[in-house]
Amino acid sequence: MTEQSNRSLLITGGTGGLGTAVVRRLSAEYTCYVLYRSEQAWQALTEEVGASQRLHGLKADLADADAVRRSVEQIRATSGPLYGLVHLAGGFEMGSVQETTLESWNNLLTSNLTGAFTAIQAVLPQLREQNTGRIITIGSSTVAGRPGGLAGYVVSKAGLNALTEVVANELKDTRVTANILLLGSLATPPMLQHMSGEQLVPLERVADTIAFLLSDTAANISGASIPVIVTGQS
Ligand SMILES: NC(=O)c1ccc[n+]([C@@H]2O[C@H](COP(=O)([O-])OP(=O)(O)OC[C@H]3O[C@@H](n4cnc5c(N)ncnc54)[C@H](OP(=O)(O)O)[C@@H]3O)[C@@H](O)[C@H]2O)c1
């Protein structure tokens, strides 16, 4: 048994387009607990990546802080303290400040920012107790320029950037790291309907970058915003 297989991860957004590739990659090495909202999505994920003794599902909506906390406590009871949080969950909607409805604004803040807060807050006691571990969040490379037309998305992902940096600072007295990946457009099935693969970031590259940040080699990288983008294009 490798050291990794004794380490447990909480993965949010594991049922999404990126999530499938990340869960496939990480469940080969780590014990993975995927937080899902719908049984159907969880079923589809296990069919896609294959059932494994290292892959487990827990049903909770990230908007429900108590449910997230209960799930994390359940992991501890089954596998001991968590090693890491891989927070992939997020949402996307277009719309300028003028066009964005309050409902859309609130949905984006919940899926991109509040969900990260509930997940990070739930795992922190276990990571602090172990004094070692990883928090990895997923932002967007488009956010840096604060473009118009994506108001709720840009503001919520910018908030996620700040949250990740704040928690990295709060963890400076531990061996727990926190980093955010700033992703370009991904080669997910919906994106591949509109763009060619060369214009998109391969999902396996993102999964490999996450695996690197989880590894012992990355133990001294914290508070970083790391672009994972399409290269070789102007
Ligand atoms: N796709 C891109 O080109 C792109 C580019 C830059 C950054 N990103 C970021 O990369 C991440 C993954 O993207 P993706 O394309 O894989 O997205 P996706 O296919 O839409 O998947 C989003 C995932 O987040 C989950 N989720 C959303 N809100 C949740 C909540 N309140 N509670 C629990 N789970 C929740 C969804 O669960 P359900 O299955 O229940 O809906 C789904 O598993 C996101 O954070 C996204 O913003 C994506």
Side-chain angles (χ1 to χ4, degrees):
M1 203 178 241
T2 64
E3 192 172 358
Q4 269 86 346
S5 60
N6 289 326
R7 289 176 168 173
S8 306
L9 303 176
L10 175 66
I11 303 178
T12 72
T15 58
L18 172 63
T20 307
V22 171
V23 170
R24 185 181 291 114
R25 172 76 168 80
L26 298 183
S27 62
E29 288 180 64
Y30 295 88
T31 300
C32 295
Y33 289 85
V34 173
L35 202 83
Y36 65 88
R37 283 193 294 193
S38 96
E39 295 290 348
Q40 209 183 348
W42 167 243
Q43 205 73 41
L45 175 68
T46 51
E47 276 165 25
E48 182 72 28
V49 303
S52 148
Q53 284 189 336
R54 282 201 282 266
L55 180 58
H56 309 274
L58 292 164
K59 190 172 182 187
D61 192 315
L62 285 162
D64 182 346
D66 288 339
V68 176
R69 205 172 302 117
R70 279 196 301 274
S71 297
V72 169
E73 280 162 12
Q74 212 175 314
I75 299 172
R76 187 201 171 88
T78 321
S79 300
L82 274 164
Y83 171 70
L85 166 68
V86 178
H87 178 71
L88 309 172
F92 179 80
E93 278 180 56
M94 300 193 43
S96 66
V97 172
Q98 189 170 332
E99 291 159 351
T100 300
T101 63
L102 184 58
E103 188 187 5
S104 164
W105 176 262
N106 284 334
N107 283 342
L108 286 164
L109 284 177
T110 302
S111 54
N112 287 329
L113 184 54
T114 310
F117 170 71
T118 60
I120 291 170
Q121 197 176 53
V123 301
L124 274 176
Q126 293 185 33
L127 299 187
R128 275 195 172 277
E129 182 190 324
Q130 294 238 88
N131 192 33
T132 183
R134 304 283 184 266
I135 293 171
I136 299 167
T137 63
I138 302 293
S140 164
S141 62
T142 58
V143 165
R146 307 286 188 255
L150 302 168
Y153 182 73
V154 167
V155 172
S156 55
K157 285 293 192 188
L160 178 60
N161 245 68
L163 173 63
T164 310
E165 286 174 24
V166 166
V167 84
N169 283 328
E170 289 179 355
L171 288 166
K172 269 190 172 155
D173 60 336
T174 74
R175 293 198 178 85
V176 181
T177 67
N179 295 290
I180 184 166
L181 301 185
L182 305 182
L183 305 184
S185 297
L186 300 176
T188 55
M191 294 297 285
L192 284 166
Q193 287 178 2
H194 306 288
M195 293 166 81
S196 74
E198 299 86 71
Q199 297 170 293
L200 298 166
V201 181
L203 303 182
E204 294 71 25
R205 291 278 186 283
V206 182
D208 286 344
T209 308
I210 291 172
F212 166 70
L213 285 174
L214 289 169
S215 73
D216 292 337
T217 312
N220 299 86
I221 302 172
S222 194
S225 302
I226 303 167
V228 184
I229 53 172
V230 176
T231 50
Q233 291 186 345
S234 53

